[in-house]
Amino acid sequence: MSEDVFKKIVSHCKEYGFVFQSSEIYDGLSAVYDYGQMGVELKNNIKKYWWDSMVLLHENVVGIDSAIFMHPTIWKASGHVDAFNDPLIDNKDSKKRYRADVLIEEYMAKIDEKINKEVEKAAKRFGESFDEAMFRQTNPRILENAKKRDEVHARFVKAQNDNDLEELRQIIIDCEIVDPISGTRNWTEVRQFNLMFSTEMGSTADGAMKVYLRPETAQGIFVNFLNVQKTGRMKIPFGIAQIGKAFRNEIVARQFIFRMREFEQMEMQFFVRPGEEMEWFAKWKETRMKWHKALGFGDHKYRFHDHDKLAHYANAATDVEFEMPFGFKEVEGIHSRKDFDLSSHETYSGKKMQYFDPELNKSYVPYVIETSIGVDRMFLSVVSASYYEDELDGGESRAVLKLPPALAPIKLAVLPLIKKDGLPEKAREIIDNLKFDFKCQYDEKDSIGKRYRRQDAIGTPYCVTVDHQSLEDNTVTIRYRDTMEQERVAIDKLADIIADKVSMKNLLKTIG
Ligand code: GAP
C-alpha cells in the first residue's frame, strides 16, 4: 500500500466522523487528535476486545483504573525522570529538530527498500524460474547495499547501547543524511530531551509540587500491585490490566495517529516467580499474536521484531509489528522486565513490594512480563487493513471499510425504501426491537444506492431495506457489506443472523 492510499485513509477518517484534528478551528494542535461519532464506537470496540480477552478469558487477570497524576517520585523510581529521553539533532539551516535515531532508521529503511525493489524487478524479469534466495546471495548491487546497511546497523546498535550521542551524530555525517527541508548536512550536536509533560499541583508556602502527566499506564499497576494482590487474594502467577491515557512530548510527531502526544494504552503486567519469566514471556507472545490474527486481516500482516537494544532491566523484549500503509511498524511491545519496577519502588518508597509464596514458603519480589499496546495504533492498523476501493459494475467504485463485524461502529442500518406509506414506521419498529443488542442507524435520505455507499464507508456489515412487501409478510431485504449480496429474510430472523457475525463472544471464542 502506498503513501497515496494512506492519505486517502486519513481523509476518509475525517470525512466519515472517525478522527478529527484537535482544535481544528484554531488551526489544530500538532499530534493531538479527537475521535468522532464513528471513531469512538470503533475505539470502544477495540478496547472491549482487548479488555475481555484479558479479564474474561484469564481467571487470573484482573483490571484496575489508576489516576493519571501520580506522586512525582514514582517517575524517579521508574527511571523516566533520568532516562526517558530521545536523542535530538537540529539542522542549523532549516532550524528543524529531528530524532537522531529516526534519521538513521529511515536511512537504513531506504537501503532495504532499494534492495527489495531490485528483487522485485528481477522477479518480474525471470518469472517462474526466479530463485530469490540465490539472487540475494549473488547480485553485486544487493550485496553492496546489504553490507552498507549491516555496517550502519552495527554502529547504530552499539551507539545506542553505549548511549554514545557523538557516535550517533557521526553516523548521520558519515551516511551523508540530509535535512529533508533544507537539503543540507549542517547538523548540531545530538542532545537528550525528556519526553514527559509536567505541570504543577496545588500551592504550598514553598511553591507548588511539580507533577507529571503519566507517560505510560504501567506504573499505576506497579504501585497498586500489593493492593490488588491482597484485596483480590491473588496468587502468583497473576496479571493486572489497565486501559488509559498516556502523554509524551513526542518530537517526531507524524503519520497521523501513529505517534501522538496524548494517546491511550492497554497494558497488562503479569507477575511471575523469578526464573519462570521466559516461559511466560513465550506464552504471552503467542497469546497476543493470536489475539491480533483472530481479526482476520491475514497472518502475513504481522511479524515479531525482537529488540536489538535491551533496556538494562529487561531480559527479553519484542514488538508485534503490523504492516501499516507506510511499512511494518510497532503496534505492541511485550517485555520481560524482571523485578526492576517493583524493586525500585521498594527502594524509593521504603515499603515492601514482596509476595509471600505459600507453595515455596518464602517471600520474593515477583518478576514481570508486560504486554503494552497503543489503542490508537491498533485503531490505525484496523482502519488501514479494512480500507478498500472496490471497482463495481458500470464503471462505479465504492470506498468500503471491511471492518471485522465485532468492531464495526454500526452493526445494522435500517432503510425504508421510501419516506411514506408506513415504511418509516416499520423501519423504526425493527430498530426498536434490535437496539438493545446492536448499534443501529436509521437512514431515509437519498437513493438506496447512496445509502448503501454511506454505510459501506463506515463499515456497517448489514443493511436492511424495508419495502411494501415488508408490510404484508414481515420480510425485509438484507444486504451484506463485503459481497453486496442481498436476500429476503423474515424480520424475526434478523437478530440471529446479525448476532452470529457481530458478536464479541464469537470473536473471543476463536482465541479463548
Ligand atoms: N509500559 C511500556 C511502554 O509504554 P512503549 O513501547 O513505550 O512501552 C507501548 O509503548 C505502546 O504504546 C507502543 O507499542 C505503541 O502502540 C503505543 N505508543 C507509544 N508511544 C505512542 C505515541 N506517541 N502515540 C501513539 N501510541 C504510542
Side-chain angles (χ1 to χ4, degrees):
M1 212 190 271
S2 69
E3 286 286 327
D4 260 7
V5 178
F6 183 50
K7 276 191 197 138
K8 283 188 189 167
I9 291 170
V10 174
S11 48
H12 191 92
C13 279
K14 179 172 179 203
E15 191 180 341
Y16 290 96
F18 284 87
V19 182
F20 306 125
Q21 173 73 60
S22 158
S23 321
E24 196 185 72
I25 59 168
Y26 291 94
D27 294 334
L29 187 63
S30 167
V32 186
Y33 291 89
D34 298 335
Y35 286 83
Q37 69 281 8
M38 290 301 144
V40 71
E41 297 289 344
L42 173 55
K43 198 177 181 209
N44 283 342
N45 292 338
I46 290 172
K47 290 196 273 187
K48 184 167 170 51
Y49 177 42
W50 183 87
W51 186 263
D52 287 355
S53 77
M54 286 293 172
V55 306
L56 291 188
L57 300 191
H58 299 97
E59 233 178 86
N60 57 351
V61 176
V62 292
I64 63 163
D65 183 14
S66 71
I68 286 171
F69 288 131
M70 292 196 274
H71 195 285
T73 310
I74 285 174
W75 303 111
K76 191 82 188 145
S78 68
H80 284 83
V81 170
D82 296 318
F84 193 50
N85 300 320
D86 273 347
L88 297 188
I89 190 164
D90 291 19
N91 182 275
K92 291 182 198 162
D93 299 317
S94 70
K95 309 269 184 281
K96 289 279 174 205
R97 185 164 286 178
Y98 301 92
R99 267 177 60 178
D101 54 340
V102 171
L103 286 179
I104 299 169
E105 275 166 3
E106 285 176 350
Y107 172 81
M108 292 190 294
K110 270 191 201 141
I111 302 182
D112 284 338
E113 222 174 276
K114 262 193 208 162
I115 295 176
N116 290 337
K117 279 213 175 113
E118 199 82 52
V119 173
E120 269 172 38
K121 255 189 350 204
K124 267 198 198 134
R125 210 167 49 235
F126 294 113
E128 293 221 328
S129 62
F130 182 58
D131 181 344
E132 182 178 329
M134 179 63 86
F135 185 74
R136 282 181 183 273
Q137 280 162 24
T138 53
N139 179 277
R141 268 197 305 272
I142 290 192
L143 288 176
E144 191 188 320
N145 275 322
K147 182 166 173 267
K148 192 154 84 180
R149 187 211 178 275
D150 290 347
E151 279 168 9
V152 174
H153 185 251
R155 280 178 73 186
F156 177 55
V157 171
K158 183 165 182 340
Q160 283 195 306
N161 281 333
D162 299 348
N163 208 6
D164 186 345
L165 301 183
E166 262 177 48
E167 171 65 355
L168 280 182
R169 179 173 190 273
Q170 199 53 50
I171 297 173
I172 291 173
I173 304 287
D174 293 347
C175 293
E176 303 186 344
I177 296 175
V178 296
D179 174 4
I181 292 171
S182 66
T184 71
R185 285 182 249 148
N186 199 3
W187 297 110
T188 61
E189 300 304 304
V190 177
R191 287 167 299 109
Q192 292 288 21
F193 172 85
N194 193 285
L195 295 181
M196 280 196 295
F197 284 103
S198 64
T199 186
E200 294 187 338
M201 184 178 272
S203 166
T204 65
D206 305 328
M209 178 163 71
K210 180 174 176 180
V211 291
Y212 298 98
L213 297 189
R214 65 181 178 196
E216 62 171 17
T217 61
Q219 297 304 322
I221 293 178
F222 287 122
V223 298
N224 278 299
F225 155 70
L226 276 186
N227 283 338
V228 174
Q229 188 272 315
K230 286 189 173 141
T231 57
R233 291 173 294 112
M234 307 300 290
K235 282 206 178 76
I236 273 182
F238 74 92
I240 305 178
Q242 165 157 240
I243 300 179
K245 288 274 180 146
F247 305 83
R248 296 181 189 179
N249 196 0
E250 298 281 2
I251 296 307
V252 180
R254 275 186 289 144
Q255 288 158 332
F256 193 37
I257 54 173
F258 182 79
R259 197 177 298 284
M260 301 154 87
R261 297 201 164 108
E262 174 180 341
F263 58 101
E264 220 169 340
Q265 288 184 316
M266 308 189 277
E267 298 200 291
M268 196 276 308
Q269 319 295 133
F270 197 73
F271 301 93
V272 304
R273 280 183 189 156
E276 294 183 0
E277 72 275 14
M278 283 316 190
E279 194 186 309
W280 284 109
F281 178 73
K283 257 200 181 118
W284 278 107
K285 259 179 89 167
E286 190 193 327
T287 305
R288 294 302 305 144
M289 191 53 107
K290 215 168 158 192
W291 182 89
H292 285 279
K293 289 183 173 172
L295 290 174
F297 296 127
D299 293 1
H300 62 284
K301 287 201 163 278
Y302 303 88
R303 70 182 187 196
F304 284 117
H305 171 247
D306 296 331
H307 286 205
D308 287 327
K309 182 191 173 191
L310 280 182
H312 63 277
Y313 51 80
N315 56 4
T318 194
D319 296 335
V320 176
E321 291 189 339
F322 182 81
E323 193 178 17
M324 298 279 188
F326 38 87
F328 272 94
K329 296 285 168 195
E330 172 192 343
V331 171
E332 171 159 9
I334 303 167
H335 313 119
S336 171
R337 302 174 66 106
K338 299 200 276 190
D339 61 348
F340 170 77
D341 303 86
L342 291 179
S343 290
S344 190
H345 286 307
E346 205 173 62
T347 308
Y348 276 85
S349 68
K351 308 273 172 12
K352 281 234 170 305
M353 297 297 271
Q354 303 208 349
Y355 167 78
F356 177 74
D357 192 323
E359 279 172 37
L360 300 181
N361 198 26
K362 70 171 190 181
S363 294
Y364 53 82
V365 179
Y367 273 29
V368 170
I369 304 300
E370 164 183 82
T371 71
S372 173
I373 172 167
V375 179
D376 313 270
R377 277 194 198 174
M378 188 61 204
F379 184 103
L380 183 57
S381 69
V382 167
V383 172
S384 303
S386 303
Y387 182 83
Y388 286 85
E389 285 173 1
D390 285 350
E391 294 303 326
L392 306 178
D393 294 341
E396 263 193 82
S397 69
R398 66 164 185 165
V400 53
L401 286 185
K402 295 182 182 171
L403 294 168
L407 302 186
I410 308 286
K411 309 299 186 198
L412 166 75
V414 185
L415 321 170
L417 190 62
I418 52 172
K419 279 191 242 175
K420 54 183 188 182
D421 299 345
L423 301 189
E425 290 75 10
K426 189 73 183 170
R428 296 265 183 220
E429 194 186 302
I430 294 172
I431 291 184
D432 281 343
N433 278 329
L434 296 178
K435 70 184 179 190
F436 302 98
D437 290 316
F438 315 111
K439 177 93 181 138
C440 304
Q441 197 172 70
Y442 175 84
D443 191 1
E444 61 176 22
K445 198 167 173 295
D446 298 320
S447 68
I448 282 288
K450 273 195 182 157
R451 283 183 264 172
Y452 283 160
R453 287 297 97 79
R454 277 202 290 271
Q455 295 300 329
D456 287 344
I458 58 173
T460 306
Y462 301 103
C463 287
V464 158
T465 304
V466 177
D467 55 19
H468 292 92
Q469 191 186 329
S470 311
L471 302 179
E472 287 161 22
D473 64 3
N474 265 325
T475 63
V476 285
T477 305
I478 187 165
R479 182 242 191 204
Y480 302 97
R481 178 195 66 198
D482 298 349
T483 59
M484 295 189 289
E485 276 167 14
Q486 301 184 16
E487 62 177 324
R488 198 87 202 170
V489 298
I491 290 173
D492 59 13
K493 291 273 179 322
L494 281 177
D496 286 344
I497 296 172
I498 296 161
D500 180 47
K501 287 280 183 311
V502 307
S503 105
M504 190 63 80
K505 181 173 155 187
N506 286 352
L507 178 57
L508 289 167
K509 274 186 176 171
T510 63
I511 56 170

